[in-house]
């Protein structure tokens, strides 16, 4: 998830109603700013979910917020699919696993450690904050805590999804090797297997076939990541035949509002998986061919750059607010809006500080002296947040 100035390699426009045009050769690829803009929208959904969970609004306003953001947890699934797409898109030829892992550590670990330290400090300074055992804290530092359900929300709860990402990073060198050997048909088949795996896991979770919920289990979230990688590979091969940006967005929105109709938890993934898996490559193709894209707006792209730091800090801000506001205050509309805007403003300001003072300089420091292979800087991929 390296930082790059959003640029788009423009090729002759194709029909706006389809995303089936061939992609340019890998050497001509650039960053995909629409994906950065979409990442911010997904992070905002997760923020809205947490505002709903903290009960800032009561009465009719609370019901409206619940209707609009009750399915915000699906933003995590979007991040997982996007991560697979972007890592595959930006994979370097003949890249060694150690070099790849080094870049991933440089990307996520500095902000993770800083927010973890903030969360640890909060456990000793704020009331009603659970103090983890040393083994739990160590598991969180190493990003393995999500493998054991009782520990999945240790310290900074959003980091459970970083544990999933760490697992994705561990297996990615094998996945990209497989995708490069499979070809378009084989990659499509692998994508189909991933979809079937999500369906089976959703049924298993809904019917309690396993001893614990699979929602936060990294292995259970791997199919979403693989599906994103498959769609990226098909775009790279010029074999993507998905719908255009507008139709894909409509499918994603429909799936989002279907979430309340299914069993809470992992089953929500089924509702939005198709829409997300179509929307991400459609946005990428729109950038590649210079097609209209709202998500490429300069301000959205800038907010997308801050999104990782934003969702790593926003839940800590909301938790700190309970000291002043109490638990589930259920304010009226004016007061609810005021505290929501305040929490959002503080979270966004802190995310800017984290990005400028931690994320960027730490990445430069950790990657200092590493030779660039001449390709455009890879698009910054997502790291999801806790629902």
């Amino acid at each position: 998830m390296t930082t790059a100035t959003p640029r788009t390699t423009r090729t002759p426009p194709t029909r706006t109603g389809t995303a089936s045009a061939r992609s340019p050769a890998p050497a001509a690829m650039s960053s995909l700013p629409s994906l950065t803009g979409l990442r911010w929208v997904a992070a905002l959904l997760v923020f809205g979910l947490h505002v709903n969970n903290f009960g800032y609004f009561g009465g009719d306003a609370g019901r409206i917020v619940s209707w609009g953001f009750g399915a915000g947890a699906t933003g995590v699934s979007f991040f997982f699919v996007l991560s697979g797409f972007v890592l595959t898109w930006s994979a370097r030829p003949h890249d060694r696993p150690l070099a790849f892992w080094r870049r991933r550590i440089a990307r996520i670990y500095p902000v993770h450690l800083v927010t973890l330290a903030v969360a640890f400090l909060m456990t000793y300074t704020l009331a009603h904050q659970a103090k983890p055992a040393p083994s739990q804290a160590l598991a969180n530092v190493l990003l393995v805590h999500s493998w054991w359900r009782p520990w999945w929300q240790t310290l900074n709860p959003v980091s459970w999804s970083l544990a999933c990402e760490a697992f994705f990073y561990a297996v990615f060198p094998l996945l990209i090797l497989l995708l490069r050997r499979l070809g378009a048909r084989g990659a499509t088949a692998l994508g189909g297997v991933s979809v079937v795996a999500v369906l089976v896991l959703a049924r298993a979770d809904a019917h309690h076939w396993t001893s614990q919920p699979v929602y936060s289990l990294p292995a259970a979230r791997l199919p979403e990541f693989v599906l994103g990688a498959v769609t990226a590979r098909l775009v790279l091969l010029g074999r993507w035949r998905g719908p255009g940006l507008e139709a894909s967005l409509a499918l994603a929105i429909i799936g989002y509002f279907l979430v309340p109709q299914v069993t809470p938890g992992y089953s929500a993934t089924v509702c939005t998986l198709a829409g997300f898996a179509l929307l991400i490559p459609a946005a990428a193709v729109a950038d590649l061919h210079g097609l209209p894209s709202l998500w490429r707006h300069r301000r959205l792209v800038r907010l997308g750059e801050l999104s990782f730091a934003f969702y790593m800090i926003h839940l800590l801000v909301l938790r700190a607010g309970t000291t002043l506001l109490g638990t589930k205050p259920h304010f009226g509309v004016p007061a609810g809006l005021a505290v929501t805007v305040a929490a959002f403003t503080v979270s966004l300001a802190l995310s800017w500080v984290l990005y400028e003072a931690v994320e960027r300089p730490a990445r430069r420091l950790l990657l200092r002296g590493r030779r660039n292979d001449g390709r455009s800087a890879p698009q910054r991929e997502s790291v999801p947040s806790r629902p």
Side-chain angles (χ1 to χ4, degrees), residues 52 67 69-70 154 198 200 234 237 251 254 275 281 284 286 292 312 330 336 361 378:
N52 177 61
W67 173 80
F69 294 101
T154 300
V198 169
V200 172
L234 292 176
L237 294 173
L251 289 173
I254 291 170
M312 287 299 293
H330 292 152

Side-chain angles (χ1 to χ4, degrees), residues 7-285:
R7 295 178 299 138
T8 303
T9 300
R10 293 183 175 267
T11 57
T14 60
R15 293 183 300 161
T16 58
T18 181
S20 63
R22 285 188 173 272
S23 303
M29 291 186 303
S30 68
S31 62
L32 304 172
S34 288
L35 299 188
T36 307
L38 280 169
R39 184 181 310 115
W40 171 251
V41 175
L44 199 59
L45 289 177
V46 178
F47 174 80
L49 171 70
H50 290 146
V51 168
N52 177 61
N53 291 347
F54 275 73
Y56 281 3
F57 293 88
D60 291 339
R63 285 186 285 272
I64 292 173
V65 171
S66 179
W67 173 80
F69 294 101
T74 57
V76 177
S77 181
F78 180 88
F79 290 134
F80 288 155
V81 178
L82 179 62
S83 183
F85 185 97
V86 172
L87 282 180
T88 302
W89 182 262
S90 60
R92 303 177 180 183
H94 312 298
D95 198 10
R96 295 181 179 180
L98 287 178
F100 168 78
W101 292 327
R102 179 187 176 91
R103 293 195 301 273
R104 295 307 96 209
I105 290 172
R107 174 62 186 91
I108 69 171
Y109 240 88
V111 172
H112 166 56
L113 292 179
V114 169
T115 52
L116 189 64
V118 172
F120 189 81
L121 180 63
M122 288 173 61
T123 64
Y124 290 94
T125 57
L126 298 180
H128 310 299
Q129 297 291 310
K131 297 176 176 60
S135 55
Q136 289 178 270
L138 179 60
N140 190 288
V141 170
L142 299 177
L143 292 178
V144 296
H145 58 296
S146 192
W147 288 95
W148 177 235
R149 179 71 180 189
W151 291 0
W152 76 298
Q153 292 186 343
T154 300
L155 291 171
N156 187 6
V158 302
S159 63
W160 77 265
S161 49
L162 288 190
C164 294
E165 288 284 338
F167 176 62
F168 302 161
Y169 298 163
V171 302
F172 181 74
L174 291 176
L175 175 61
I176 191 63
L177 180 64
L178 176 63
L179 284 173
R180 285 170 174 166
R181 293 185 176 183
L182 282 178
R185 290 185 179 180
T188 302
L190 180 60
V193 171
S194 300
V195 171
V196 171
V198 169
L199 295 174
V200 172
L201 287 166
R203 184 169 180 81
D205 191 61
H207 291 81
H208 308 290
W209 293 353
T210 57
S211 59
Q212 63 181 23
V214 302
Y215 179 83
S216 59
L217 187 66
R221 308 312 296 254
L222 182 62
E224 298 155 80
F225 176 81
V226 173
L227 186 59
V230 165
T231 58
R233 185 60 180 163
L234 292 176
V235 174
L236 284 168
L237 294 173
R239 300 292 295 275
W240 177 250
R241 297 297 183 269
L245 190 54
E246 295 85 356
S248 299
L249 178 61
L251 289 173
I253 293 173
I254 291 170
Y256 178 85
F257 285 105
L258 285 177
V259 168
Q261 309 305 316
V262 302
T263 305
Y266 188 90
S267 297
T269 304
V270 175
C271 297
T272 55
L273 186 65
F276 292 162
L278 294 172
L279 176 60
I280 290 169
V285 170

